[in-house]
Amino acid sequence: MMRLAQLALVMASTLTIAPPSLIVAALQEQQQSMTVEQISDKITSLQNEYDNYTQTVQRLKDEAEQLEQKLASLRDRNQTLEKQRQTALQEMNNRYQQLVDDPTIDIAGAQQAYKEAVMAHQQNKKDIGTQIQLVEEKQQEVEEGRVSRHALLNEIESLKDQRKVARVERLEREFNQTGELEVSQSIVCDREETLSQCETRGKLLAKQKASKQYLDQIVSNLSEAEQARSNLEQVSPNVQILGSKTVSNGFSGQGNYGVKIAVELRGQLPRRQACQLLEVDARYCVVENADQRSATQTSANVGASNDAVMHPLTLRSNVYDDEVLIDGVSYGSTPIEIMLPRGDHRVEVRKYGYSSYSDVIRLNDAQSIRAELEKSDYSFTRGEKVQDILFRDVRGPELVVVPSGNYKMGDLTGNGLPNERPVQTVTIEAPFGISDTEVTVGKFRDFVNDTAYVTQAEKNGNCANLVNGMPKMDGTLNWRNPGFQQTENSPVVCISYEDVKAYTDWLSDKSGFDYDIPSEQQWEYASRAGTETDFWWGNDVGVNNANCRHCGSEWSNDRSAPVAQFERNPWGLFDTVGNVWEWARTEEGQVVRGGAWNFAPSLARVSTRMELPANFSSNYIGFRVVRAQ
């Protein structure tokens, strides 16, 4: 029992809770020079031992149970033997009474029976005592096994803690290493800058490239690269430039400057960030000599210039297709993440038609900026791409700007229907944006998710499908299930004119601009794109130029195609011919234009029009939208 008490005392002492800094210090002392792999091997070995202990304890418990069962059997037998002894004693007493009346009676048999009963009872009592001792000893073995197993488990968990500290220190060693990279950079000198300024800018961009490449190289070579990379964006470690030397450089006759430099770099990963990268508790990154570590890192940076340490800067904005300038240098459009030297930087985000974002930031660590650009009054430019932010990261349909102008509307070739005549000259007085594709399932889903809107087909079961060439209402069809396979990038169908109005009203509300269904004049003007033929490429539909019945595409007469599978027209619109009919508004009501995947090519001509009621929907009718400037 003394051994059991000592083991229990050891367990109690190992489970004492210590402050985080003391925990890490103790684990480091225990760990000594053990590597992560060695600790893992030891954990595996102890885990096997623990599993063996578990089996041993179970075996001991089974043996103890068998001993207890035998003890219970002996106690049951003791009662039987006691009854037998009482019976033999009674028989012997009866014989003695008979002997008084008749001295010739033999009582030796009764005496022997009684003697044997007493001896059996006494032996059984001895067996019970022995069995009790065996049960107690076996139970003690069980308890010792249990305690030993718990102590072993505690050691395993302690080693797991040690392994986490070792992982952190390994990551620090692997990250905070020095290396050299040789990079090349070419730039075009601006007209406003001197050759010296151009040279300085080229070398700075080369250092930025080296910093980014070195950071990528370090992360790729980490022992736990995949784990670290998944958390890199939340941590954003730094790279320090220790020195650089120019290998070669020069200017070309066209004002281009090229430079190749060798850069000496060192990764900088504070211990707290190591814990974040590995997704372990921060307590494994708290050390008692943190002040000393900080002083060491500070002294290592003494004499380093501001551009010796590079920090990541992340830029996002609320607009699409903007331009980012940092210290006067263009870095493309948001979102971007670049490495910049420590210190002050002028950041500008601009886009035509919006007020610019401009600020001077002081970069001392990883930093993230979201630039909010406000809309301003401006005029559309022909061919300009427009895409409005609706909310959060949800964008509206991508639009292409169509210029103002005049055109001839209607049956110009004499191949049309009576409702396409007479030909009229129409004036489009102002530029407008029109979605370059039909509105997709994904874009319509954004609307439904935000408003919980239910289409008429879903409510009334009135989406039509062509059966033997005739539209037949099918209550199972709707925009989610049009009766054929579609993707998020397929044109949304089973949408009535009234559904489209609800969608454009939502776009207007979310964007702050005036969205609508195209007028019939706008639709034909944008679809013709300056041409006067039945199709924007000519008077014959050709083969695989569009998705319509017998038009030779893989989707023809089968289902709608994902948008933008065919060439744009000269003004940048996709699928103005075929795929799905598109709603347009008229002064009298509404029509559909452009033909569909299951309609003949002659009905996909640019001037073809079909009048339909506003509440009609089918799996071959979709829509696109327009936006005023």
Side-chain angles (χ1 to χ4, degrees):
M1 293 301 290
M2 178 64 70
R3 176 186 171 195
L4 182 61
Q6 290 175 339
L7 189 53
L9 181 60
V10 170
M11 285 187 59
S13 64
T14 56
L15 293 176
T16 301
I17 304 300
S21 60
L22 295 181
I23 290 174
V24 175
L27 292 174
Q28 288 173 325
E29 184 178 352
Q30 293 173 19
Q31 179 187 328
Q32 296 177 347
S33 60
M34 291 179 66
T35 65
V36 174
E37 292 74 16
Q38 289 172 332
I39 296 173
S40 296
D41 290 343
K42 189 170 183 181
I43 290 174
T44 300
S45 176
L46 291 179
Q47 185 65 51
N48 291 334
E49 190 175 343
Y50 175 82
D51 294 339
N52 291 336
Y53 258 109
T54 301
Q55 296 174 5
T56 299
V57 170
Q58 185 59 49
R59 176 178 57 79
L60 292 172
K61 288 173 63 179
D62 293 342
E63 291 175 358
E65 184 178 350
Q66 292 174 2
L67 291 172
E68 288 173 351
Q69 290 175 354
K70 186 175 182 180
L71 176 61
S73 177
L74 287 172
R75 284 172 171 162
D76 290 342
R77 185 169 183 266
N78 190 66
Q79 294 177 0
T80 301
L81 291 175
E82 175 63 19
K83 289 180 180 179
Q84 292 176 354
R85 187 190 70 81
Q86 292 287 345
T87 301
L89 177 59
Q90 182 65 36
E91 179 63 23
M92 189 179 66
N93 288 334
N94 290 337
R95 287 287 182 172
Y96 270 114
Q97 187 63 41
Q98 293 174 0
L99 181 61
V100 172
D101 297 334
D102 185 1
T104 62
I105 294 176
D106 184 7
I107 63 171
Q111 289 177 322
Q112 184 63 30
Y114 177 68
K115 178 181 178 181
E116 291 176 355
V118 170
M119 292 178 61
H121 185 255
Q122 290 176 342
Q123 183 60 46
N124 191 72
K125 290 175 70 175
K126 290 180 181 179
D127 291 343
I128 288 175
T130 301
Q131 194 67 21
I132 289 174
Q133 184 177 355
L134 291 175
V135 168
E136 288 177 348
E137 289 175 351
K138 188 62 65 176
Q139 287 176 338
Q140 183 174 342
E141 289 184 51
V142 171
E143 292 305 317
E144 289 179 352
R146 284 172 172 168
V147 173
S148 298
R149 184 180 62 175
H150 292 168
L152 189 59
L153 181 61
N154 185 57
E155 186 176 355
I156 291 172
E157 293 306 310
S158 178
L159 279 171
K160 288 179 180 178
D161 278 346
Q162 288 180 237
R163 181 168 60 184
K164 289 176 182 177
V165 173
R167 288 173 61 204
V168 168
E169 293 187 341
R170 180 179 65 182
L171 183 64
E172 280 188 301
R173 289 193 303 271
E174 293 175 343
F175 211 104
N176 299 336
Q177 59 177 303
T178 302
E180 186 173 299
L181 280 181
E182 192 172 278
V183 295
S184 298
Q185 179 70 44
S186 297
I187 63 170
V188 178
C189 298
D190 293 339
R191 293 182 179 180
E192 293 80 7
E193 65 183 347
T194 65
L195 294 180
S196 176
Q197 290 172 331
C198 184
E199 181 179 3
T200 300
R201 181 163 64 91
K203 290 180 178 179
L204 175 60
L205 291 175
K207 290 179 181 179
Q208 292 174 356
K209 180 189 290 187
S211 299
K212 183 66 169 64
Q213 289 181 2
Y214 190 65
L215 181 61
D216 291 342
Q217 177 180 302
I218 288 177
V219 174
S220 297
N221 292 332
L222 293 174
S223 298
E224 299 185 62
E226 185 176 350
Q227 173 76 56
R229 194 178 297 280
S230 65
N231 297 305
L232 197 62
E233 185 174 344
Q234 288 76 29
V235 174
S236 299
N238 302 320
V239 173
Q240 179 184 10
I241 297 178
L242 302 177
S244 65
K245 59 182 179 180
T246 302
V247 178
S248 62
N249 68 333
F251 291 89
S252 70
Q254 290 76 32
N256 295 336
Y257 173 72
V259 61
K260 179 186 289 186
I261 63 173
V263 187
E264 186 180 7
L265 309 106
R266 180 172 61 202
Q268 287 191 327
L269 180 73
R271 171 163 283 219
R272 61 179 176 80
Q273 292 188 352
C275 276
Q276 290 176 276
L277 282 180
L278 296 178
E279 291 184 339
V280 300
D281 195 283
R283 70 191 181 97
Y284 299 106
C285 292
V286 179
V287 292
E288 288 184 306
N289 59 345
D291 292 338
Q292 296 176 359
R293 291 174 55 89
S294 177
T296 301
Q297 292 178 351
T298 301
S299 63
N301 294 331
V302 170
S305 61
N306 280 346
D307 65 350
V309 179
M310 309 290 282
H311 298 287
L313 173 66
T314 302
L315 269 172
R316 295 181 174 85
S317 81
N318 62 322
V319 298
Y320 171 76
D321 197 24
D322 52 15
E323 182 182 14
V324 176
L325 292 96
I326 301 176
D327 300 325
V329 179
S330 177
Y331 285 85
S333 60
T334 57
I336 63 169
E337 181 177 341
I338 59 172
M339 304 291 292
L340 292 173
R342 175 185 297 163
D344 294 342
H345 298 277
R346 175 167 289 280
V347 177
E348 184 179 2
V349 183
R350 63 191 185 188
K351 179 177 180 178
Y352 180 71
Y354 290 79
S355 59
S356 297
Y357 168 91
S358 182
D359 194 12
V360 175
I361 64 167
R362 175 154 294 179
L363 195 62
N364 293 320
D365 203 345
Q367 191 168 342
S368 181
I369 295 175
R370 178 174 176 83
E372 296 288 339
L373 277 61
E374 296 182 358
K375 303 178 182 72
S376 58
D377 294 334
Y378 73 103
S379 297
F380 277 141
T381 301
R382 173 177 171 173
E384 179 185 2
K385 295 292 183 61
V386 179
Q387 190 176 36
D388 294 316
I389 301 291
L390 303 181
F391 55 92
R392 296 189 298 276
D393 293 326
V394 176
R395 300 176 182 269
E398 186 165 320
L399 311 174
V400 62
V401 173
V402 172
S404 59
N406 301 321
Y407 80 105
K408 291 182 179 179
M409 178 181 179
D411 178 22
L412 305 185
T413 62
N415 298 319
L417 303 174
N419 65 0
E420 301 172 30
R421 306 186 188 101
V423 173
Q424 306 173 49
T425 298
V426 175
T427 299
I428 303 297
E429 297 182 351
F432 61 93
I434 184 168
S435 52
D436 63 351
T437 70
E438 294 137 342
V439 172
T440 63
V441 172
K443 292 299 182 186
F444 193 79
R445 192 184 305 279
D446 290 338
F447 160 59
V448 172
N449 289 343
D450 188 52
T451 63
Y453 182 84
V454 180
T455 62
Q456 291 192 335
E458 291 172 289
K459 289 186 292 187
N460 305 323
N462 61 347
C463 180
N465 181 29
L466 281 188
V467 178
N468 297 324
M470 296 297 293
K472 181 179 179 181
M473 296 300 173
D474 188 333
T476 66
L477 302 183
N478 55 62
W479 70 276
R480 303 175 193 270
N481 174 34
F484 49 78
Q485 185 178 4
Q486 60 180 1
T487 69
E488 290 293 282
N489 206 37
S490 297
V492 66
V493 293
C494 291
I495 303 297
S496 70
Y497 183 86
E498 294 172 0
D499 294 330
V500 179
K501 283 295 295 179
Y503 177 79
T504 56
D505 288 346
W506 173 76
L507 284 180
S508 300
D509 178 63
K510 290 296 181 180
S511 69
F513 290 102
D514 184 16
Y515 278 84
D516 205 348
I517 301 169
S519 70
E520 194 173 22
Q521 290 81 5
Q522 288 175 320
W523 190 96
E524 187 168 331
Y525 178 62
S527 298
R528 284 191 178 278
T531 66
E532 294 187 353
T533 50
D534 284 339
F535 310 98
W536 61 262
W537 59 80
N539 286 321
D540 295 319
V541 74
V543 178
N544 202 28
N545 290 324
N547 178 23
C548 47
R549 190 173 185 178
H550 307 308
C551 285
S553 80
E554 61 180 285
W555 303 277
S556 294
N557 208 36
D558 185 33
R559 64 191 187 279
S560 67
V563 299
Q565 298 300 305
F566 305 95
E567 288 187 31
R568 296 178 185 266
N569 76 6
W571 285 357
L573 276 68
F574 292 103
D575 302 317
T576 57
V577 179
N579 212 23
V580 295
W581 289 97
E582 298 171 21
W583 286 107
R585 55 186 169 85
T586 70
E587 294 181 359
E588 297 78 26
Q590 59 284 323
V591 296
V592 291
R593 308 292 300 264
W597 55 273
N598 53 353
F599 279 71
S602 60
L603 297 179
R605 292 176 298 103
V606 68
S607 58
T608 302
R609 54 198 303 270
M610 292 175 54
E611 297 93 347
L612 290 171
N615 62 356
F616 180 80
S617 66
S618 73
N619 64 359
Y620 48 82
I621 297 177
F623 68 99
R624 67 180 77 217
V625 298
V626 294
R627 199 204 88 177
Q629 62 180 352

